[in-house]
Amino acid sequence: KNTPNGSCKIRQFQCRLYPAQPKHFQNGRRKPRVENDRYNALSYLYSKKGLKYLDEVYVSLKNGKKGRIDGFIKGKAIIERKATDLAKVTDNTAKSYIDNAAKYKEAKLGGVKLKEKVFLQVENIKGVSQNVLDHATKKGVTIIDDITKLPGL
């Protein structure tokens, strides 16, 4: 049945159970991402050093596809994150994480090729095999476990 405002009663019932707007929307507009605590902390930390930290930056990859960088500090760092302990995964899996991070060395942002250093941030790097570390060096990726202590920053 239709109600005076033209909407269906069943639709109104469903909307009460499942709100029409997801949680990240407010009054029809997307809420800003600054609610993310990690983003706020890193933005504050790097702003004190005169740098600007960006979270989730979309770039164009060498193969023409689009990619998403987890963290970006212009002129300094491209940060790819994996929530894993590298010592507990197989060497092939760790190498695939490194290869995934290395693909951003050739990426473009706004038509300009990125020249920043690539970092792979993981939960723990203790106990990683020398084979994996050599692969990372060969690909030009630095493996870190604490983003607040990036080498060279």
Side-chain angles (χ1 to χ4, degrees), residues 67-105:
R68 182 181 56 87
I69 296 173
D70 294 327
F72 182 71
I73 301 171
K74 188 173 182 176
K76 300 289 182 182
I78 296 170
I79 303 154
E80 181 68 12
R81 291 188 187 89
K82 295 292 179 191
T84 189
D85 182 345
L86 273 190
K88 292 184 179 178
V89 297
T90 65
D91 282 1
N92 286 340
T93 301
K95 287 178 181 181
S96 72
Y97 293 161
I98 293 165
D99 293 339
N100 187 45
K103 72 182 178 187
Y104 295 114
K105 288 174 64 177

PDB file of all heavy atoms in Angstrom, residues 67-105:
ATOM      1  N   GLY A  67      45.408   1.418  -9.428  1.00  0.00           N
ATOM      2  CA  GLY A  67      45.843   0.773  -8.203  1.00  0.00           C
ATOM      3  C   GLY A  67      45.601   1.703  -7.023  1.00  0.00           C
ATOM      4  O   GLY A  67      45.379   2.896  -7.200  1.00  0.00           O
ATOM      5  N   ARG A  68      45.674   1.144  -5.820  1.00  0.00           N
ATOM      6  CA  ARG A  68      45.460   1.950  -4.619  1.00  0.00           C
ATOM      7  C   ARG A  68      46.641   1.767  -3.681  1.00  0.00           C
ATOM      8  O   ARG A  68      46.947   0.664  -3.251  1.00  0.00           O
ATOM      9  CB  ARG A  68      44.180   1.528  -3.909  1.00  0.00           C
ATOM     10  CG  ARG A  68      43.881   2.372  -2.673  1.00  0.00           C
ATOM     11  CD  ARG A  68      42.614   1.919  -1.986  1.00  0.00           C
ATOM     12  NE  ARG A  68      42.607   0.524  -1.625  1.00  0.00           N
ATOM     13  CZ  ARG A  68      43.095   0.035  -0.488  1.00  0.00           C
ATOM     14  NH1 ARG A  68      43.625   0.827   0.403  1.00  0.00           N
ATOM     15  NH2 ARG A  68      43.041  -1.246  -0.230  1.00  0.00           N
ATOM     16  N   ILE A  69      47.298   2.875  -3.382  1.00  0.00           N
ATOM     17  CA  ILE A  69      48.411   2.875  -2.444  1.00  0.00           C
ATOM     18  C   ILE A  69      47.828   3.081  -1.052  1.00  0.00           C
ATOM     19  O   ILE A  69      47.024   3.973  -0.837  1.00  0.00           O
ATOM     20  CB  ILE A  69      49.404   4.000  -2.787  1.00  0.00           C
ATOM     21  CG1 ILE A  69      50.028   3.750  -4.156  1.00  0.00           C
ATOM     22  CG2 ILE A  69      50.471   4.123  -1.715  1.00  0.00           C
ATOM     23  CD1 ILE A  69      50.880   4.890  -4.656  1.00  0.00           C
ATOM     24  N   ASP A  70      48.263   2.271  -0.093  1.00  0.00           N
ATOM     25  CA  ASP A  70      47.720   2.361   1.261  1.00  0.00           C
ATOM     26  C   ASP A  70      48.133   3.645   1.972  1.00  0.00           C
ATOM     27  O   ASP A  70      47.356   4.213   2.724  1.00  0.00           O
ATOM     28  CB  ASP A  70      48.144   1.150   2.087  1.00  0.00           C
ATOM     29  CG  ASP A  70      47.523  -0.140   1.563  1.00  0.00           C
ATOM     30  OD1 ASP A  70      46.389  -0.082   1.065  1.00  0.00           O
ATOM     31  OD2 ASP A  70      48.167  -1.195   1.666  1.00  0.00           O
ATOM     32  N   GLY A  71      49.355   4.083   1.766  1.00  0.00           N
ATOM     33  CA  GLY A  71      49.836   5.312   2.390  1.00  0.00           C
ATOM     34  C   GLY A  71      50.811   6.010   1.461  1.00  0.00           C
ATOM     35  O   GLY A  71      51.544   5.357   0.714  1.00  0.00           O
ATOM     36  N   PHE A  72      50.835   7.339   1.500  1.00  0.00           N
ATOM     37  CA  PHE A  72      51.669   8.100   0.574  1.00  0.00           C
ATOM     38  C   PHE A  72      52.159   9.369   1.251  1.00  0.00           C
ATOM     39  O   PHE A  72      51.374  10.097   1.851  1.00  0.00           O
ATOM     40  CB  PHE A  72      50.844   8.452  -0.668  1.00  0.00           C
ATOM     41  CG  PHE A  72      51.593   9.190  -1.729  1.00  0.00           C
ATOM     42  CD1 PHE A  72      52.559   8.561  -2.486  1.00  0.00           C
ATOM     43  CD2 PHE A  72      51.324  10.526  -1.980  1.00  0.00           C
ATOM     44  CE1 PHE A  72      53.243   9.245  -3.475  1.00  0.00           C
ATOM     45  CE2 PHE A  72      51.998  11.220  -2.961  1.00  0.00           C
ATOM     46  CZ  PHE A  72      52.959  10.573  -3.714  1.00  0.00           C
ATOM     47  N   ILE A  73      53.463   9.601   1.175  1.00  0.00           N
ATOM     48  CA  ILE A  73      54.054  10.852   1.637  1.00  0.00           C
ATOM     49  C   ILE A  73      54.779  11.434   0.441  1.00  0.00           C
ATOM     50  O   ILE A  73      55.794  10.873  -0.012  1.00  0.00           O
ATOM     51  CB  ILE A  73      55.025  10.629   2.813  1.00  0.00           C
ATOM     52  CG1 ILE A  73      54.301   9.962   3.977  1.00  0.00           C
ATOM     53  CG2 ILE A  73      55.640  11.951   3.242  1.00  0.00           C
ATOM     54  CD1 ILE A  73      55.205   9.511   5.090  1.00  0.00           C
ATOM     55  N   LYS A  74      54.249  12.513  -0.096  1.00  0.00           N
ATOM     56  CA  LYS A  74      54.766  13.084  -1.341  1.00  0.00           C
ATOM     57  C   LYS A  74      56.258  13.395  -1.228  1.00  0.00           C
ATOM     58  O   LYS A  74      56.703  14.023  -0.294  1.00  0.00           O
ATOM     59  CB  LYS A  74      53.995  14.356  -1.696  1.00  0.00           C
ATOM     60  CG  LYS A  74      54.346  14.890  -3.052  1.00  0.00           C
ATOM     61  CD  LYS A  74      53.467  16.038  -3.456  1.00  0.00           C
ATOM     62  CE  LYS A  74      53.848  16.477  -4.851  1.00  0.00           C
ATOM     63  NZ  LYS A  74      52.998  17.513  -5.346  1.00  0.00           N
ATOM     64  N   GLY A  75      56.997  12.907  -2.211  1.00  0.00           N
ATOM     65  CA  GLY A  75      58.422  13.133  -2.264  1.00  0.00           C
ATOM     66  C   GLY A  75      59.243  12.214  -1.375  1.00  0.00           C
ATOM     67  O   GLY A  75      60.464  12.244  -1.410  1.00  0.00           O
ATOM     68  N   LYS A  76      58.584  11.367  -0.572  1.00  0.00           N
ATOM     69  CA  LYS A  76      59.313  10.536   0.390  1.00  0.00           C
ATOM     70  C   LYS A  76      58.986   9.049   0.308  1.00  0.00           C
ATOM     71  O   LYS A  76      59.896   8.241   0.205  1.00  0.00           O
ATOM     72  CB  LYS A  76      59.046  11.010   1.826  1.00  0.00           C
ATOM     73  CG  LYS A  76      59.447  12.425   2.101  1.00  0.00           C
ATOM     74  CD  LYS A  76      60.935  12.582   2.143  1.00  0.00           C
ATOM     75  CE  LYS A  76      61.303  14.017   2.474  1.00  0.00           C
ATOM     76  NZ  LYS A  76      62.730  14.227   2.473  1.00  0.00           N
ATOM     77  N   ALA A  77      57.707   8.679   0.398  1.00  0.00           N
ATOM     78  CA  ALA A  77      57.395   7.260   0.594  1.00  0.00           C
ATOM     79  C   ALA A  77      56.068   6.835  -0.019  1.00  0.00           C
ATOM     80  O   ALA A  77      55.088   7.571   0.009  1.00  0.00           O
ATOM     81  CB  ALA A  77      57.370   6.942   2.083  1.00  0.00           C
ATOM     82  N   ILE A  78      56.088   5.600  -0.552  1.00  0.00           N
ATOM     83  CA  ILE A  78      54.887   4.869  -0.950  1.00  0.00           C
ATOM     84  C   ILE A  78      54.804   3.703   0.029  1.00  0.00           C
ATOM     85  O   ILE A  78      55.760   2.947   0.173  1.00  0.00           O
ATOM     86  CB  ILE A  78      55.006   4.344  -2.389  1.00  0.00           C
ATOM     87  CG1 ILE A  78      55.103   5.505  -3.380  1.00  0.00           C
ATOM     88  CG2 ILE A  78      53.845   3.415  -2.721  1.00  0.00           C
ATOM     89  CD1 ILE A  78      55.469   5.073  -4.783  1.00  0.00           C
ATOM     90  N   ILE A  79      53.687   3.575   0.729  1.00  0.00           N
ATOM     91  CA  ILE A  79      53.560   2.561   1.775  1.00  0.00           C
ATOM     92  C   ILE A  79      52.460   1.572   1.404  1.00  0.00           C
ATOM     93  O   ILE A  79      51.313   1.960   1.198  1.00  0.00           O
ATOM     94  CB  ILE A  79      53.242   3.222   3.133  1.00  0.00           C
ATOM     95  CG1 ILE A  79      54.327   4.242   3.475  1.00  0.00           C
ATOM     96  CG2 ILE A  79      53.105   2.168   4.222  1.00  0.00           C
ATOM     97  CD1 ILE A  79      53.876   5.339   4.383  1.00  0.00           C
ATOM     98  N   GLU A  80      52.843   0.314   1.298  1.00  0.00           N
ATOM     99  CA  GLU A  80      51.897  -0.779   1.061  1.00  0.00           C
ATOM    100  C   GLU A  80      51.831  -1.585   2.350  1.00  0.00           C
ATOM    101  O   GLU A  80      52.857  -1.948   2.909  1.00  0.00           O
ATOM    102  CB  GLU A  80      52.379  -1.641  -0.108  1.00  0.00           C
ATOM    103  CG  GLU A  80      51.474  -2.786  -0.453  1.00  0.00           C
ATOM    104  CD  GLU A  80      50.140  -2.377  -1.039  1.00  0.00           C
ATOM    105  OE1 GLU A  80      49.950  -1.202  -1.399  1.00  0.00           O
ATOM    106  OE2 GLU A  80      49.263  -3.241  -1.127  1.00  0.00           O
ATOM    107  N   ARG A  81      50.618  -1.859   2.856  1.00  0.00           N
ATOM    108  CA  ARG A  81      50.456  -2.553   4.129  1.00  0.00           C
ATOM    109  C   ARG A  81      49.923  -3.966   3.942  1.00  0.00           C
ATOM    110  O   ARG A  81      49.030  -4.194   3.127  1.00  0.00           O
ATOM    111  CB  ARG A  81      49.469  -1.799   5.027  1.00  0.00           C
ATOM    112  CG  ARG A  81      49.989  -0.507   5.512  1.00  0.00           C
ATOM    113  CD  ARG A  81      49.043   0.087   6.560  1.00  0.00           C
ATOM    114  NE  ARG A  81      49.498   1.406   6.886  1.00  0.00           N
ATOM    115  CZ  ARG A  81      49.130   2.508   6.246  1.00  0.00           C
ATOM    116  NH1 ARG A  81      48.262   2.452   5.278  1.00  0.00           N
ATOM    117  NH2 ARG A  81      49.624   3.672   6.602  1.00  0.00           N
ATOM    118  N   LYS A  82      50.454  -4.875   4.736  1.00  0.00           N
ATOM    119  CA  LYS A  82      49.935  -6.241   4.829  1.00  0.00           C
ATOM    120  C   LYS A  82      49.869  -6.595   6.306  1.00  0.00           C
ATOM    121  O   LYS A  82      50.872  -6.523   7.013  1.00  0.00           O
ATOM    122  CB  LYS A  82      50.846  -7.249   4.110  1.00  0.00           C
ATOM    123  CG  LYS A  82      50.927  -7.043   2.617  1.00  0.00           C
ATOM    124  CD  LYS A  82      49.615  -7.365   1.966  1.00  0.00           C
ATOM    125  CE  LYS A  82      49.721  -7.126   0.467  1.00  0.00           C
ATOM    126  NZ  LYS A  82      48.440  -7.173  -0.190  1.00  0.00           N
ATOM    127  N   ALA A  83      48.711  -6.961   6.780  1.00  0.00           N
ATOM    128  CA  ALA A  83      48.522  -7.305   8.199  1.00  0.00           C
ATOM    129  C   ALA A  83      48.914  -8.754   8.410  1.00  0.00           C
ATOM    130  O   ALA A  83      48.080  -9.636   8.585  1.00  0.00           O
ATOM    131  CB  ALA A  83      47.081  -7.055   8.609  1.00  0.00           C
ATOM    132  N   THR A  84      50.214  -9.006   8.373  1.00  0.00           N
ATOM    133  CA  THR A  84      50.706 -10.375   8.509  1.00  0.00           C
ATOM    134  C   THR A  84      52.081 -10.387   9.152  1.00  0.00           C
ATOM    135  O   THR A  84      52.778  -9.382   9.170  1.00  0.00           O
ATOM    136  CB  THR A  84      50.751 -11.067   7.125  1.00  0.00           C
ATOM    137  OG1 THR A  84      51.024 -12.434   7.297  1.00  0.00           O
ATOM    138  CG2 THR A  84      51.790 -10.458   6.230  1.00  0.00           C
ATOM    139  N   ASP A  85      52.449 -11.534   9.646  1.00  0.00           N
ATOM    140  CA  ASP A  85      53.783 -11.782  10.172  1.00  0.00           C
ATOM    141  C   ASP A  85      54.544 -12.477   9.049  1.00  0.00           C
ATOM    142  O   ASP A  85      54.248 -13.626   8.722  1.00  0.00           O
ATOM    143  CB  ASP A  85      53.676 -12.659  11.419  1.00  0.00           C
ATOM    144  CG  ASP A  85      55.007 -12.927  12.075  1.00  0.00           C
ATOM    145  OD1 ASP A  85      56.056 -12.690  11.432  1.00  0.00           O
ATOM    146  OD2 ASP A  85      55.002 -13.382  13.225  1.00  0.00           O
ATOM    147  N   LEU A  86      55.509 -11.806   8.441  1.00  0.00           N
ATOM    148  CA  LEU A  86      56.212 -12.373   7.283  1.00  0.00           C
ATOM    149  C   LEU A  86      56.942 -13.669   7.610  1.00  0.00           C
ATOM    150  O   LEU A  86      57.166 -14.487   6.725  1.00  0.00           O
ATOM    151  CB  LEU A  86      57.205 -11.365   6.711  1.00  0.00           C
ATOM    152  CG  LEU A  86      56.670 -10.383   5.686  1.00  0.00           C
ATOM    153  CD1 LEU A  86      57.804  -9.617   5.029  1.00  0.00           C
ATOM    154  CD2 LEU A  86      55.817 -11.029   4.632  1.00  0.00           C
ATOM    155  N   ALA A  87      57.326 -13.877   8.856  1.00  0.00           N
ATOM    156  CA  ALA A  87      58.019 -15.108   9.236  1.00  0.00           C
ATOM    157  C   ALA A  87      57.079 -16.307   9.239  1.00  0.00           C
ATOM    158  O   ALA A  87      57.528 -17.445   9.166  1.00  0.00           O
ATOM    159  CB  ALA A  87      58.666 -14.941  10.601  1.00  0.00           C
ATOM    160  N   LYS A  88      55.765 -16.062   9.303  1.00  0.00           N
ATOM    161  CA  LYS A  88      54.800 -17.160   9.399  1.00  0.00           C
ATOM    162  C   LYS A  88      54.161 -17.528   8.066  1.00  0.00           C
ATOM    163  O   LYS A  88      53.339 -18.436   8.012  1.00  0.00           O
ATOM    164  CB  LYS A  88      53.704 -16.800  10.410  1.00  0.00           C
ATOM    165  CG  LYS A  88      54.226 -16.734  11.828  1.00  0.00           C
ATOM    166  CD  LYS A  88      53.111 -16.473  12.808  1.00  0.00           C
ATOM    167  CE  LYS A  88      53.649 -16.430  14.234  1.00  0.00           C
ATOM    168  NZ  LYS A  88      52.595 -16.135  15.202  1.00  0.00           N
ATOM    169  N   VAL A  89      54.501 -16.820   6.995  1.00  0.00           N
ATOM    170  CA  VAL A  89      53.959 -17.164   5.674  1.00  0.00           C
ATOM    171  C   VAL A  89      55.070 -17.816   4.852  1.00  0.00           C
ATOM    172  O   VAL A  89      56.251 -17.699   5.171  1.00  0.00           O
ATOM    173  CB  VAL A  89      53.393 -15.923   4.939  1.00  0.00           C
ATOM    174  CG1 VAL A  89      52.228 -15.335   5.691  1.00  0.00           C
ATOM    175  CG2 VAL A  89      54.463 -14.877   4.696  1.00  0.00           C
ATOM    176  N   THR A  90      54.685 -18.482   3.785  1.00  0.00           N
ATOM    177  CA  THR A  90      55.687 -19.126   2.926  1.00  0.00           C
ATOM    178  C   THR A  90      56.499 -18.063   2.196  1.00  0.00           C
ATOM    179  O   THR A  90      56.065 -16.906   2.054  1.00  0.00           O
ATOM    180  CB  THR A  90      55.013 -20.047   1.887  1.00  0.00           C
ATOM    181  OG1 THR A  90      54.240 -19.247   0.999  1.00  0.00           O
ATOM    182  CG2 THR A  90      54.136 -21.095   2.563  1.00  0.00           C
ATOM    183  N   ASP A  91      57.671 -18.462   1.718  1.00  0.00           N
ATOM    184  CA  ASP A  91      58.516 -17.531   0.976  1.00  0.00           C
ATOM    185  C   ASP A  91      57.813 -17.024  -0.283  1.00  0.00           C
ATOM    186  O   ASP A  91      57.933 -15.854  -0.636  1.00  0.00           O
ATOM    187  CB  ASP A  91      59.848 -18.188   0.599  1.00  0.00           C
ATOM    188  CG  ASP A  91      60.822 -18.249   1.767  1.00  0.00           C
ATOM    189  OD1 ASP A  91      60.448 -17.803   2.876  1.00  0.00           O
ATOM    190  OD2 ASP A  91      61.956 -18.722   1.564  1.00  0.00           O
ATOM    191  N   ASN A  92      57.068 -17.894  -0.943  1.00  0.00           N
ATOM    192  CA  ASN A  92      56.351 -17.477  -2.155  1.00  0.00           C
ATOM    193  C   ASN A  92      55.298 -16.419  -1.847  1.00  0.00           C
ATOM    194  O   ASN A  92      55.112 -15.473  -2.605  1.00  0.00           O
ATOM    195  CB  ASN A  92      55.710 -18.678  -2.851  1.00  0.00           C
ATOM    196  CG  ASN A  92      56.730 -19.533  -3.560  1.00  0.00           C
ATOM    197  OD1 ASN A  92      57.838 -19.082  -3.852  1.00  0.00           O
ATOM    198  ND2 ASN A  92      56.384 -20.786  -3.813  1.00  0.00           N
ATOM    199  N   THR A  93      54.594 -16.575  -0.729  1.00  0.00           N
ATOM    200  CA  THR A  93      53.590 -15.582  -0.337  1.00  0.00           C
ATOM    201  C   THR A  93      54.261 -14.256  -0.009  1.00  0.00           C
ATOM    202  O   THR A  93      53.809 -13.197  -0.448  1.00  0.00           O
ATOM    203  CB  THR A  93      52.783 -16.083   0.877  1.00  0.00           C
ATOM    204  OG1 THR A  93      52.156 -17.310   0.535  1.00  0.00           O
ATOM    205  CG2 THR A  93      51.732 -15.078   1.287  1.00  0.00           C
ATOM    206  N   ALA A  94      55.353 -14.293   0.745  1.00  0.00           N
ATOM    207  CA  ALA A  94      56.080 -13.069   1.085  1.00  0.00           C
ATOM    208  C   ALA A  94      56.596 -12.380  -0.174  1.00  0.00           C
ATOM    209  O   ALA A  94      56.517 -11.154  -0.304  1.00  0.00           O
ATOM    210  CB  ALA A  94      57.231 -13.400   2.024  1.00  0.00           C
ATOM    211  N   LYS A  95      57.097 -13.169  -1.129  1.00  0.00           N
ATOM    212  CA  LYS A  95      57.591 -12.589  -2.386  1.00  0.00           C
ATOM    213  C   LYS A  95      56.459 -11.957  -3.186  1.00  0.00           C
ATOM    214  O   LYS A  95      56.642 -10.930  -3.840  1.00  0.00           O
ATOM    215  CB  LYS A  95      58.298 -13.654  -3.222  1.00  0.00           C
ATOM    216  CG  LYS A  95      59.650 -14.048  -2.653  1.00  0.00           C
ATOM    217  CD  LYS A  95      60.287 -15.135  -3.494  1.00  0.00           C
ATOM    218  CE  LYS A  95      61.619 -15.551  -2.928  1.00  0.00           C
ATOM    219  NZ  LYS A  95      62.267 -16.596  -3.734  1.00  0.00           N
ATOM    220  N   SER A  96      55.267 -12.556  -3.128  1.00  0.00           N
ATOM    221  CA  SER A  96      54.124 -11.966  -3.845  1.00  0.00           C
ATOM    222  C   SER A  96      53.731 -10.630  -3.217  1.00  0.00           C
ATOM    223  O   SER A  96      53.348  -9.697  -3.929  1.00  0.00           O
ATOM    224  CB  SER A  96      52.934 -12.926  -3.881  1.00  0.00           C
ATOM    225  OG  SER A  96      52.324 -13.031  -2.608  1.00  0.00           O
ATOM    226  N   TYR A  97      53.838 -10.506  -1.882  1.00  0.00           N
ATOM    227  CA  TYR A  97      53.585  -9.227  -1.218  1.00  0.00           C
ATOM    228  C   TYR A  97      54.595  -8.181  -1.684  1.00  0.00           C
ATOM    229  O   TYR A  97      54.242  -7.025  -1.939  1.00  0.00           O
ATOM    230  CB  TYR A  97      53.679  -9.363   0.302  1.00  0.00           C
ATOM    231  CG  TYR A  97      52.608 -10.205   0.957  1.00  0.00           C
ATOM    232  CD1 TYR A  97      52.814 -10.714   2.229  1.00  0.00           C
ATOM    233  CD2 TYR A  97      51.403 -10.492   0.334  1.00  0.00           C
ATOM    234  CE1 TYR A  97      51.844 -11.480   2.871  1.00  0.00           C
ATOM    235  CE2 TYR A  97      50.435 -11.258   0.954  1.00  0.00           C
ATOM    236  CZ  TYR A  97      50.660 -11.744   2.220  1.00  0.00           C
ATOM    237  OH  TYR A  97      49.700 -12.504   2.841  1.00  0.00           O
ATOM    238  N   ILE A  98      55.845  -8.579  -1.803  1.00  0.00           N
ATOM    239  CA  ILE A  98      56.902  -7.669  -2.249  1.00  0.00           C
ATOM    240  C   ILE A  98      56.664  -7.250  -3.696  1.00  0.00           C
ATOM    241  O   ILE A  98      56.784  -6.070  -4.040  1.00  0.00           O
ATOM    242  CB  ILE A  98      58.282  -8.332  -2.064  1.00  0.00           C
ATOM    243  CG1 ILE A  98      58.572  -8.497  -0.570  1.00  0.00           C
ATOM    244  CG2 ILE A  98      59.371  -7.522  -2.756  1.00  0.00           C
ATOM    245  CD1 ILE A  98      59.713  -9.440  -0.253  1.00  0.00           C
ATOM    246  N   ASP A  99      56.333  -8.211  -4.555  1.00  0.00           N
ATOM    247  CA  ASP A  99      56.050  -7.896  -5.957  1.00  0.00           C
ATOM    248  C   ASP A  99      54.873  -6.937  -6.076  1.00  0.00           C
ATOM    249  O   ASP A  99      54.874  -6.027  -6.909  1.00  0.00           O
ATOM    250  CB  ASP A  99      55.768  -9.171  -6.750  1.00  0.00           C
ATOM    251  CG  ASP A  99      56.997 -10.064  -6.884  1.00  0.00           C
ATOM    252  OD1 ASP A  99      58.122  -9.552  -6.723  1.00  0.00           O
ATOM    253  OD2 ASP A  99      56.817 -11.273  -7.134  1.00  0.00           O
ATOM    254  N   ASN A 100      53.856  -7.137  -5.238  1.00  0.00           N
ATOM    255  CA  ASN A 100      52.678  -6.261  -5.246  1.00  0.00           C
ATOM    256  C   ASN A 100      53.070  -4.835  -4.870  1.00  0.00           C
ATOM    257  O   ASN A 100      52.611  -3.875  -5.479  1.00  0.00           O
ATOM    258  CB  ASN A 100      51.615  -6.797  -4.289  1.00  0.00           C
ATOM    259  CG  ASN A 100      50.328  -6.028  -4.389  1.00  0.00           C
ATOM    260  OD1 ASN A 100      49.857  -5.742  -5.474  1.00  0.00           O
ATOM    261  ND2 ASN A 100      49.759  -5.691  -3.246  1.00  0.00           N
ATOM    262  N   ALA A 101      53.934  -4.684  -3.884  1.00  0.00           N
ATOM    263  CA  ALA A 101      54.389  -3.346  -3.479  1.00  0.00           C
ATOM    264  C   ALA A 101      55.273  -2.727  -4.558  1.00  0.00           C
ATOM    265  O   ALA A 101      55.203  -1.526  -4.823  1.00  0.00           O
ATOM    266  CB  ALA A 101      55.137  -3.428  -2.153  1.00  0.00           C
ATOM    267  N   ALA A 102      56.105  -3.544  -5.197  1.00  0.00           N
ATOM    268  CA  ALA A 102      57.055  -3.043  -6.198  1.00  0.00           C
ATOM    269  C   ALA A 102      56.361  -2.481  -7.440  1.00  0.00           C
ATOM    270  O   ALA A 102      56.926  -1.620  -8.117  1.00  0.00           O
ATOM    271  CB  ALA A 102      58.018  -4.147  -6.594  1.00  0.00           C
ATOM    272  N   LYS A 103      55.148  -2.924  -7.710  1.00  0.00           N
ATOM    273  CA  LYS A 103      54.463  -2.434  -8.914  1.00  0.00           C
ATOM    274  C   LYS A 103      54.161  -0.931  -8.843  1.00  0.00           C
ATOM    275  O   LYS A 103      53.973  -0.286  -9.859  1.00  0.00           O
ATOM    276  CB  LYS A 103      53.180  -3.225  -9.176  1.00  0.00           C
ATOM    277  CG  LYS A 103      52.049  -2.930  -8.221  1.00  0.00           C
ATOM    278  CD  LYS A 103      50.849  -3.796  -8.519  1.00  0.00           C
ATOM    279  CE  LYS A 103      49.738  -3.534  -7.526  1.00  0.00           C
ATOM    280  NZ  LYS A 103      48.630  -4.456  -7.690  1.00  0.00           N
ATOM    281  N   TYR A 104      54.177  -0.367  -7.631  1.00  0.00           N
ATOM    282  CA  TYR A 104      53.891   1.057  -7.487  1.00  0.00           C
ATOM    283  C   TYR A 104      55.091   1.942  -7.808  1.00  0.00           C
ATOM    284  O   TYR A 104      54.955   3.154  -7.899  1.00  0.00           O
ATOM    285  CB  TYR A 104      53.365   1.356  -6.078  1.00  0.00           C
ATOM    286  CG  TYR A 104      52.038   0.696  -5.823  1.00  0.00           C
ATOM    287  CD1 TYR A 104      51.901  -0.304  -4.879  1.00  0.00           C
ATOM    288  CD2 TYR A 104      50.909   1.054  -6.558  1.00  0.00           C
ATOM    289  CE1 TYR A 104      50.686  -0.919  -4.660  1.00  0.00           C
ATOM    290  CE2 TYR A 104      49.699   0.444  -6.351  1.00  0.00           C
ATOM    291  CZ  TYR A 104      49.585  -0.551  -5.400  1.00  0.00           C
ATOM    292  OH  TYR A 104      48.388  -1.166  -5.196  1.00  0.00           O
ATOM    293  N   LYS A 105      56.281   1.346  -8.008  1.00  0.00           N
ATOM    294  CA  LYS A 105      57.450   2.132  -8.402  1.00  0.00           C
ATOM    295  C   LYS A 105      57.250   2.761  -9.773  1.00  0.00           C
ATOM    296  O   LYS A 105      57.790   3.812 -10.062  1.00  0.00           O
ATOM    297  CB  LYS A 105      58.698   1.245  -8.426  1.00  0.00           C
ATOM    298  CG  LYS A 105      59.186   0.860  -7.039  1.00  0.00           C
ATOM    299  CD  LYS A 105      60.315  -0.120  -7.095  1.00  0.00           C
ATOM    300  CE  LYS A 105      61.515   0.504  -7.758  1.00  0.00           C
ATOM    301  NZ  LYS A 105      62.679  -0.374  -7.790  1.00  0.00           N
TER     302      LYS A 105
END
